[in-house]
Amino acid sequence: MQHKTIIEPFRIKSVEPIEMSTEDQRLEYLKEAHNNLFLIESRKVIIDLLTDSGTSAMSANQWAGIMRGDESYAGARSWERMRDEIRDLTGYQYVIPTHQGRAGESILYTLLGGEGKVFISNTHFDTTRANIEFGGATAIDCLTDEGKQPALEHPFKGNMDIKQLEKEILNSGAENIGAIILTVTNNSGGGQPVSMQNAKEVRAICDKYNLLFVLDCCRIAENSYFIEQREEGYKGKDYREIAQEMFGLADGGVMSAKKDALVNMGGFIALKDKKIADACTNTLIIKEGFVTYGGLSGRDMEALAIGLQEVFDKDYLKYRITSTVYLGDRLHKMGIPVMRPIGGHAVYIDAKAMYPHIPVDEFPGQALACDLYVKGGIRACEIGSVMFGKKDTDGKLIPAAMELVRLAIPRRVYTQSHVDYVIETFEEILKEKDQAKGVKITYEPKFLRHFTAHFERLN
Ligand SMILES: *Cc1c(COP(=O)(O)O)cnc(C)c1O
C-alpha cells in the first residue's frame, strides 16, 4: 500500500532535551534580549529554525566515524577518505579542505578576483558577495525574472538569466570576469532549484567566452532531488548521478559542508585545474592549515565523507524535501503568505503581506519573528529591512526589497509533531494578526546590525 504519511526515515538513538517554557516566561526572555532573537540563549528556544547551517543531526555511522578519526598532521586516513569521496562525487582531481564555506570562498575568490574583476552568479550568497567585494572585485546577480516574483509558481526559480549573463559578460569584458558562479540551490532566493538545462547553458556561455564555471554546491543533493522530480528526462534517476552530471558541467566547486554534507563544521574547494589548485593551496597553508586537513580535525573529515554519502540516500532526500514542503504548504493553505513554490531548506513568510498595517520602518518581519517566539518559543530569522535596510542622507530608512521571515529547517533534527506545533503556532498568530505591533530600533551597531541591535515593541 502507498502510505500518505511520509515518516522520518530514522529512529532516535540519542536525544537532546528541549526546555519547555510558558508564554509569560518568553515575554520576559524576549524583553531581556531587547526583542532580538540572536540575543536569546538557545536553551530558551523550543523549536530553533534560525538556520539550517551546521545544525544537522549526525547519524550513528558518522558518530562512529568520529571515533575513527585519524588526527595525524600529514596524510591522515580520514583525509584520504574525505578526498576520495569528494573526487568520486565531483570528478575533480584537486580537493582543498577548509574549515567552512566562506574560508574556501576567501581563498578562491581572492585569487581570481581583485580590483577590476567581476563575478556573475544567479544570486551570490552574502558571504560569497562579501569575499568578492572585500578583495575589490564586483559581484553581479543575474536571476531570471521568474525567480524574483515571490508568489509565482515555477519549477526552477533559481535559474541564471542566460541572456542577461551574456550581456553582463560583454559589458564587463570577458577578460575581466573572475568566474561565473552557479549557486545550487539558490539560498538567498529561497532555496529554489537550478535545472540541469540551465547549468548546460551556463557551460555553453563559459565555453564561448573561455570563462571559469564554479558551483556553489552547498545544497547540491537537495537540488538533485528537485531535478529528478521536475525536469524532463530525470525521473527515477539516481540523485548522486544527477549531482555528478552537474559537477561534470562545471570547472570547480566550493562547498559549505554545514549544509548537505550533514556535519556541524567543514567545507572544501574542489577543482579540475592544477594551476588554480596549486595557487589556492599556497594560501590554504598560510590561512587554514596543511593541505591534508585545512581547517579540520581528522574526525571532522571522517564525518564529512560519510555525510556526503548519506545525503544522497533516496529516502532521506524524499523526507527532507517533503517535510519542508509539508510545513510550507500547510501555512500556504491556511492563508499565510509564503514564497512559492516551497524550496529545499526553508519556508519564507512574506511579513509585509501578513502584517500589512505595520509600515516597513516599523519592521513587520522583526515583529513577526518576535510573535513566533512569544507564542511558540520558535526562533526564526528576519530577512528584510533590519538585515538589509539602508539609510539615506537624512537617516531615513531605504527599505529592503522584501520583508521576509525565514523558517530554516535543520536536517534530521525535528519530527512531524514539531512541525505540527509550528503550524499550530501560526494558527494562533493568524487570529491575532490585526493587533500585531511593530518595533523600533533603540540601539544599532554600524555594521551587520541584525545580530546585535536592540528593539522596543511599539504600542
Ligand atoms: C552557507 C553558505 C555559504 C557559506 O558557508 P559557511 O560555511 O557558512 O561559511 C556559501 N554559500 C551558500 C549558498 C551558503 O548557503
Side-chain angles (χ1 to χ4, degrees):
M1 93 178 245
Q2 189 72 28
H3 284 88
K4 276 207 305 278
T5 309
I6 293 163
I7 61 167
E8 289 80 13
F10 47 80
R11 293 189 299 187
I12 297 166
K13 189 188 291 259
S14 172
V15 297
E16 186 179 0
I18 295 173
E19 268 182 49
M20 302 307 280
S21 52
T22 64
E23 213 172 306
D24 285 341
Q25 282 174 318
R26 291 192 295 266
L27 262 174
E28 201 48 44
Y29 295 157
L30 192 61
K31 210 152 100 207
E32 284 163 12
H34 307 281
N35 293 294
N36 185 339
L37 294 152
F38 283 102
L39 301 180
I40 286 189
E41 292 84 359
S42 76
R43 67 189 157 80
K44 295 175 182 165
V45 174
I46 294 178
I47 310 267
D48 205 342
L49 306 181
L50 193 63
T51 176
D52 69 317
S53 179
T55 51
S56 300
M58 291 207 293
S59 65
N61 198 15
Q62 283 177 300
W63 282 109
I66 293 280
M67 281 309 295
R68 279 197 307 268
D70 175 354
E71 306 300 342
S72 304
Y73 191 96
R77 278 187 300 274
S78 303
W79 157 246
E80 289 187 85
R81 222 158 268 150
M82 169 174 161
R83 179 200 59 200
D84 293 350
E85 186 56 41
I86 294 166
R87 275 186 183 161
D88 182 65
L89 172 64
T90 62
Y92 308 149
Q93 177 68 18
Y94 303 100
V95 180
I96 296 158
T98 62
H99 81 277
Q100 66 182 90
R102 69 196 70 182
E105 295 174 335
S106 163
I107 290 170
L108 184 62
Y109 301 140
T110 303
L111 177 74
L112 301 172
E115 214 62 59
K117 291 285 182 187
V118 175
F119 292 79
I120 309 174
S121 175
N122 46 346
T123 311
H124 289 93
F125 181 64
D126 53 12
T127 60
T128 319
R129 174 176 287 276
N131 271 303
I132 288 168
E133 291 176 349
F134 189 72
T138 306
I140 297 175
D141 291 340
C142 256
L143 190 64
T144 54
D145 284 334
E146 292 87 18
K148 293 175 194 155
Q149 301 168 49
L152 184 80
E153 300 279 351
H154 184 280
F156 292 105
K157 286 172 85 172
N159 280 355
M160 180 92 81
D161 183 334
I162 301 293
K163 278 213 185 89
Q164 191 61 28
L165 169 65
E166 189 159 16
K167 252 191 228 161
E168 296 289 356
I169 292 168
L170 293 172
N171 215 2
S172 306
E175 68 283 6
N176 296 318
I177 304 291
I180 307 299
I181 304 167
L182 198 57
T183 312
V184 298
T185 58
N186 189 21
N187 184 356
S188 311
Q192 298 292 335
V194 175
S195 69
M196 193 69 79
Q197 181 57 33
N198 193 247
K200 285 178 184 163
E201 288 166 13
V202 171
R203 175 75 263 167
I205 294 280
C206 288
D207 284 341
K208 184 170 169 188
Y209 295 98
N210 195 24
L211 304 175
L212 194 77
F213 176 7
V214 179
L215 284 175
D216 181 341
C217 57
C218 301
R219 297 181 182 80
I220 192 150
E222 292 174 5
N223 199 78
S224 298
Y225 181 87
F226 284 115
I227 288 178
E228 191 271 338
Q229 290 280 306
R230 298 178 182 176
E231 190 161 356
E232 213 182 307
Y234 288 91
K235 201 47 54 257
K237 194 158 179 187
D238 182 72
Y239 301 125
R240 193 180 171 88
E241 284 173 21
I242 295 173
Q244 284 168 327
E245 182 180 342
M246 191 169 270
F247 278 118
L249 293 168
D251 302 303
V254 179
M255 183 171 195
S256 165
K258 299 170 74 172
K259 324 295 171 39
D260 269 356
L262 298 172
V263 288
N264 306 113
M265 193 52 76
F268 61 84
I269 310 169
L271 294 159
K272 273 184 187 161
D273 185 90
K274 182 171 190 311
K275 260 218 212 99
I276 303 175
D278 284 346
C280 287
T281 302
N282 284 332
T283 334
L284 181 82
I285 296 173
I286 298 168
K287 289 196 167 180
E288 287 279 289
F290 184 59
V291 293
T292 64
Y293 70 85
L296 298 170
S297 51
R299 52 184 171 270
D300 291 335
M301 297 193 284
E302 194 79 32
L304 196 160
I306 298 166
L308 271 184
Q309 281 188 340
E310 289 181 349
V311 76
F312 287 103
D313 178 82
K314 68 179 186 357
D315 295 326
Y316 161 74
L317 271 179
K318 182 174 183 186
Y319 141 78
R320 167 70 179 158
I321 306 297
T322 47
S323 58
T324 306
V325 170
Y326 174 83
L327 171 61
D329 279 354
R330 292 288 158 113
L331 296 181
H332 180 57
K333 275 201 198 107
M334 201 195 289
I336 306 275
V338 294
M339 275 178 77
R340 300 291 301 165
I342 305 304
H345 69 284
V347 175
Y348 289 71
I349 319 289
D350 182 349
K352 212 184 332 189
M354 175 120 182
Y355 289 163
H357 59 287
I358 301 181
V360 288
D361 60 358
E362 291 176 12
F363 308 107
Q366 189 65 25
L368 177 58
C370 288
D371 289 343
L372 277 167
Y373 178 72
V374 172
K375 284 280 174 243
I378 299 160
R379 174 151 66 175
C381 185
E382 191 262 13
I383 300 189
S385 291
V386 173
M387 196 182 269
F388 292 125
K390 298 202 170 77
K391 280 180 198 163
D392 67 14
T393 44
D394 301 329
K396 217 172 148 264
L397 176 76
I398 307 170
M402 289 189 268
E403 304 296 331
L404 302 174
V405 172
R406 183 183 71 183
L407 311 172
I409 319 291
R411 293 167 181 79
R412 304 194 290 208
V413 170
Y414 294 116
T415 64
Q416 185 174 335
S417 68
H418 290 117
V419 174
D420 286 335
Y421 171 95
V422 174
I423 294 167
E424 225 173 85
T425 308
F426 268 97
E427 280 168 3
E428 196 60 26
I429 285 181
L430 202 55
K431 274 189 227 153
E432 299 173 13
K433 78 183 188 61
D434 297 333
Q435 287 92 54
K437 303 276 193 291
V439 300
K440 106 177 165 201
I441 295 179
T442 54
Y443 158 78
E444 61 181 301
K446 206 158 169 199
F447 297 107
L448 297 173
R449 67 175 172 187
H450 57 281
F451 288 126
T452 51
H454 294 178
F455 304 89
E456 203 176 279
R457 208 73 205 251
L458 294 167
N459 254 313

